[in-house]
């Protein structure tokens, strides 16, 4: 790829002044475009500030013919960068140390003028891409920083804040076509931006990239950042790494983020149109200018590198546009009229642009030949938004697009329409997926939903159905679907239950399999024992780590009503049962608990816990069961961390590079059993399963420490991190002694996590505050993942927002509020149950 027209006048290879000499004493192949010189003539032509590539050869070796062909191919692109190329014929009458020793014959020599700068093995220059990449990499050693660790990247990022933006790239190997493309871009833009290069997969993983199969390029917006504790915004280049794509991408980064215009959109032209990207006009009125501008800026960040965003001032516009239009879409193709749209959500605007990008890349349907989206009709019919925000949506959209050719067996689910919906859900127990075919998150959940259908094929009496809200908006409105995707369970004429768990196959499957009407009415003491042992529902017990049995005397009417209410909320999460026979005292005496009470059967651990329920309301019962369903010593993942953070206790984390050592697990569980860890949340993290753990450790220690490693992280308040001494074995005695020193304030922290806040870009996007406000009114719903519908406004949105928040928290900025180290153990001690008997 030639960049002659792109070269910066401020950067010239003459400034570098390097001569590149390649030697060999082999067969001389005649190459027309490769000048041939004698050693004396070659050295006499070298000039300070002039780069020259020379190949010293002697006679009679046909093995060099392939290399000479590649070198010949490299002549023209190297000349475009001001680098001359020559072949030097070694002759007997002229002596040169580059025509001498045999061990020198397989090396490449890099000179600045006549001074040797560097040597390369000739086998690294295996083709024209490798030759150009290595030469430019050597020339640009000041402009391109090669790094291997996350710490290196963080140091460069901190050094560039407030000064220069960064172009960070990952390539699989040095000398690849992608490496050459990055070097060619660096040749042009190296004096404007700080280029950073790596070949370390672990480094790419640490910044959150899931797909590491291909080369990646990020633009770090560090120049506007003045606060050293603030992270630079990052924009991923989604196209393949070619010289032209990188050039176009950087040009879009240089363009103004937002431009205000007051002219006919059809006549507006920006650099985006010249680069083949569309324009999005946010239509504004004088009365709403400030809010419109903030929205436009938010859209511009979301579409950076994908489209140009402009703020169109309607009041100053002479051209008439439809009164209800608030977005105008202009394609890059000449002669195509602009589109006037009504899109009342940022996600709809982003999806519109991304869907057009995908259509431009392929003429196939977005997902097989399924429901094709009609964006204009959808945008006018719905005022709905996505459940996920920020970068997460981009990643979901990218995954859906990457899997677009995957053929889903949609025939395993029943597609419902306005005519068939009511008849279907009233005549059979049904699971309904409400989704929009144009939305990335919907299509991602549809894949998980179909995977569930495959697993349940021929084994379930539950009918799996789906409704495309893009086609049947009236059905979705009637069913209180105010956002999508949503999964609901319709069973036996009862109120539908909305699913609010993770969007993966296993969690969906658990929700469907635990569809038992809860609480189950237990009729005898013997049946209660069968229930607690797992025999009564052995077909589904594998999907529930906990069975809950409420014990009540026949006269405890109010307490039973509270428990039944809690059981309804917990439907699809755990199995709940109730027994209130005359002989209920047999069970209460056996498990040493006063009525009313809960019995919690932990099937994996083979034990039963009892909890008294005197004056306990339904929402508190839900909280108790939710906490009890947590594992005693869980493996922490990005998905389950929010659940354990709600316990508001410091984390005792065992970091492991693989499966946990059984002896270490035994030590922790023994301390849990002996009640020594009640003030902590003991857990472990497998770096192989959760690579972001490496970034967490580096945030704690600045370098990756030896593993396994125990740390206490006070996420409840203060941000202090304590490390168990690495020179001590993890035994009960050592660990207990160390924890007592922590409690007494005799241990020093290794670091204090910075007090960073993850604020929303605009007040209207402060979803977490909205969740907290809703939860304060409905505390029961906050702790439960399974929600009974009673209102039009449902709480399904809570889970995605929690997940989005924890993706940021899990990178190491895990902290809470105020902490007094002297009493942190005491504050966390809130025991409410005791063990009674093992099964």
């Amino acid at each position: 790829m030639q960049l002659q027209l792109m070269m910066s006048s401020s950067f010239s290879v003459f400034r570098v002044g390097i001569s590149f000499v390649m030697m060999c004493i082999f067969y001389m192949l005649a190459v027309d475009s490769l000048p041939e010189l004698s050693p004396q003539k070659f050295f006499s032509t070298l000039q300070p500030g002039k780069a020259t590539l020379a190949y010293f050869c002697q006679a009679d070796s046909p093995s060099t013919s392939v290399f000479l062909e590649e070198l010949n191919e490299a002549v023209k692109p190297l000349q475009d960068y001001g680098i001359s190329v020559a072949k030097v014929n070694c002759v007997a009458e002229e002596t040169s140390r580059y025509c001498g020793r045999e061990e020198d014959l397989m090396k490449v020599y890099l000179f600045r003028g006549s001074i040797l700068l560097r040597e390369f093995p000739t086998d690294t220059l295996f083709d024209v891409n490798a030759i150009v990449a290595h030469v430019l990499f050597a020339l640009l050693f000041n402009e391109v920083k090669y790094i291997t660790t996350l710490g290196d990247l963080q140091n460069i990022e901190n050094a560039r804040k407030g000064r220069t933006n960064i172009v960070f790239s990952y390539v699989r190997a040095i000398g690849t076509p992608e490496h050459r493309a990055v070097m060619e871009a660096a040749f042009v833009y190296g004096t404007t931006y700080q280029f950073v290069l790596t070949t370390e997969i672990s480094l790419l993983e640490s910044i959150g990239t899931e797909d590491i199969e291909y080369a990646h390029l990020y633009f770090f917006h560090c120049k506007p950042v003045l606060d050293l504790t603030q992270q630079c915004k990052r924009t991923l280049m989604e196209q393949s790494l070619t010289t032209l794509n990188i050039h176009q991408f950087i040009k879009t980064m240089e363009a103004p983020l937002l431009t205000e215009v007051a002219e006919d959109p059809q006549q507006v032209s920006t650099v985006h149109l010249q680069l083949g990207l569309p324009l999005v006009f946010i239509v504004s009125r004088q009365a709403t200018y400030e809010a419109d501008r903030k929205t436009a800026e938010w859209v511009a960040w979301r579409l950076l590198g994908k489209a140009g965003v402009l703020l169109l001032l309607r009041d100053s516009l002479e051209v008439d546009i439809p009164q209800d239009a608030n977005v105008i879409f202009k394609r890059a193709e000449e002669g195509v009229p602009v589109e006037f749209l009504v899109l009342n959500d940022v996600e709809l605007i982003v999806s519109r642009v991304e869907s057009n990008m995908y259509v431009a890349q392929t003429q196939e349907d977005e997902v097989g030949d399924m429901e094709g989206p009609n964006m204009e009709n959808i945008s006018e019919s719905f005022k709905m938004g996505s459940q996920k925000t920020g970068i997460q949506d981009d990643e979901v959209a990218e995954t859906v697009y990457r899997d677009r050719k995957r053929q889903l067996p949609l025939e395993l689910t029943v597609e419902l329409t306005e005519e068939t919906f009511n008849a279907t859900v009233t005549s059979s127990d049904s699971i309904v997926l409400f989704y929009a075919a144009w939305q990335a998150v919907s299509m991602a959940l549809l894949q998980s939903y179909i995977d569930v259908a495959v697993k349940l094929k021929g084994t379930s009496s539950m009918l799996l159905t789906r409704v495309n809200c893009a086609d049947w908006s009236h059905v979705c409105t009637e069913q209180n679907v105010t956002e999508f995707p949503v999964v609901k369970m319709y069973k036996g004429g009862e109120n539908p239950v909305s699913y609010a768990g993770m969007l993966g196959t296993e969690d969906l499957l658990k929700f469907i399999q635990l569809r038992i009407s809860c609480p189950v009415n237990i009729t005898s003491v013997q049946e209660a024992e069968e229930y607690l042992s797992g025999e009564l529902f052995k077909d589904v017990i594998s999907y529930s780590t906990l069975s809950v049995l409420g014990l009540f005397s026949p006269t405890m009417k109010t307490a039973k009503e509270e428990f039944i209410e809690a059981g309804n909320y917990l439907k699809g999460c755990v199995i709940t049962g109730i027994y209130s026979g005359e002989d209920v005292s047999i069970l209460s005496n056996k498990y040493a608990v006063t009525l009313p009470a809960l019995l919690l059967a932990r099937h994996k651990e083979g034990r039963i816990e009892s909890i008294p329920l005197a004056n306990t309301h339904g929402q508190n019962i839900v909280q108790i069961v939710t906490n009890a369903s947590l594992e005693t010593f869980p493996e922490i993942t990005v998905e389950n961390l929010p659940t354990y953070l709600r316990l508001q206790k410091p984390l005792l984390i065992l970091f492991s590079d693989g499966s946990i050592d059984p002896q270490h697990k035994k030590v922790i569980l023994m301390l849990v059993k002996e009640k020594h860890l009640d003030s902590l949340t003991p857990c472990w993290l497998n770096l192989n399963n959760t690579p972001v753990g490496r970034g967490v450790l580096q945030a704690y220690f600045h370098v990756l420490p030896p593993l396994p490693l125990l740390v206490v992280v006070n996420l409840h308040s203060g941000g202090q991190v304590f490390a168990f001494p690495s020179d001590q074995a993890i035994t009960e005695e050592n660990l207990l002694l160390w924890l007592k020193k922590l409690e007494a304030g005799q241990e020093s922290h290794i670091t204090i996590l910075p007090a960073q806040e993850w604020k929303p870009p605009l007040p209207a996007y402060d979803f977490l505050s909205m969740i907290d406000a809703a939860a304060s009114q409905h505390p029961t719903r906050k702790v439960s993942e399974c929600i009974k519908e009673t209102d039009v406004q449902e709480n399904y949105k809570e889970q995605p927002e929690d997940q989005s928040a924890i993706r940021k928290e899990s990178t190491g900025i895990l902290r809470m509020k105020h902490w007094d180290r002297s009493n942190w153990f005491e504050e966390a001690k809130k025991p409410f149950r005791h063990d009674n008997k093992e099964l």
Side-chain angles (χ1 to χ4, degrees), residues 368-434:
D369 290 321
M370 294 189 300
E371 300 87 350
N374 184 331
M375 286 299 303
E376 291 185 14
N377 293 339
I378 295 173
S379 63
E380 293 173 0
S381 302
F382 286 91
K383 305 289 194 290
M384 302 181 184
S386 166
Q387 299 174 12
K388 308 207 178 219
T389 61
I391 299 175
Q392 188 176 1
D393 253 348
D394 295 340
E395 294 174 353
V396 173
E398 179 184 359
T399 301
V400 170
Y401 175 67
R402 188 168 59 247
D403 294 340
R404 68 193 184 282
K405 296 184 180 180
R406 175 185 174 189
Q407 296 297 318
L408 298 177
L410 296 176
E411 66 277 2
L412 296 180
T413 62
V414 178
E415 183 178 10
L416 300 182
T417 66
E418 189 172 6
E419 291 75 23
T420 62
F421 183 88
N422 289 329
T424 300
V425 299
T426 55
S427 63
S428 61
D429 294 341
S430 305
I431 298 290
V432 183
L433 167 63
F434 298 90

Side-chain angles (χ1 to χ4, degrees), residues 64 110-111 250 406 502 566 626 640 664 689 692 806:
T64 63
L110 185 62
F111 290 83
I250 292 179
R406 175 185 174 189
M502 303 296 292
T626 301
N640 68 16
H664 295 162
N689 296 338
V692 72
I806 199 56

Side-chain angles (χ1 to χ4, degrees), residues 45 56 70 79 142 163 253 260 292 327 344 354 388 466 498 541 563 609 628 685 701 707 767 772 826:
T45 60
F56 285 69
E70 296 297 333
Q79 286 179 344
N142 285 325
R163 299 170 57 190
M253 298 299 104
E260 293 188 13
D292 293 337
V327 176
N344 290 352
E354 291 179 343
K388 308 207 178 219
R466 53 190 168 86
S498 289
I541 205 66
F563 180 76
E609 301 172 8
L685 192 150
F701 297 91
L707 300 177
F767 299 113
D772 292 339
E826 295 302 324

Side-chain angles (χ1 to χ4, degrees), residues 740-805:
K740 287 181 177 179
K741 289 183 178 180
L742 284 185
E743 186 175 2
Q746 298 174 359
E747 287 285 328
S748 299
H749 55 262
I750 59 170
T751 188
I752 298 179
L753 301 178
Q756 285 186 296
E757 297 182 10
W758 297 94
K759 295 182 179 179
L762 297 173
Y765 292 92
D766 192 0
F767 299 113
L768 295 180
S769 295
M770 298 176 190
I771 292 172
D772 292 339
S776 64
Q777 300 175 14
H778 304 283
T780 302
R781 297 183 183 183
K782 182 177 181 180
V783 299
S784 173
E785 286 188 349
C786 304
I787 305 166
K788 176 184 176 182
E789 290 186 20
T790 56
D791 304 305
V792 172
Q793 183 61 41
E794 300 171 21
N795 294 314
Y796 179 73
K797 57 192 171 187
E798 293 181 18
Q799 178 272 335
E801 297 300 338
D802 285 345
Q803 179 184 358
S804 176

Side-chain angles (χ1 to χ4, degrees), residues 15-35:
R15 170 172 63 86
V16 181
I18 295 177
S19 298
F20 188 53
V21 181
M22 304 177 57
M23 297 180 17
C24 145
I25 310 176
F26 296 134
Y27 174 75
M28 185 172 60
L29 178 68
V31 181
D32 293 338
S33 60
L34 197 59

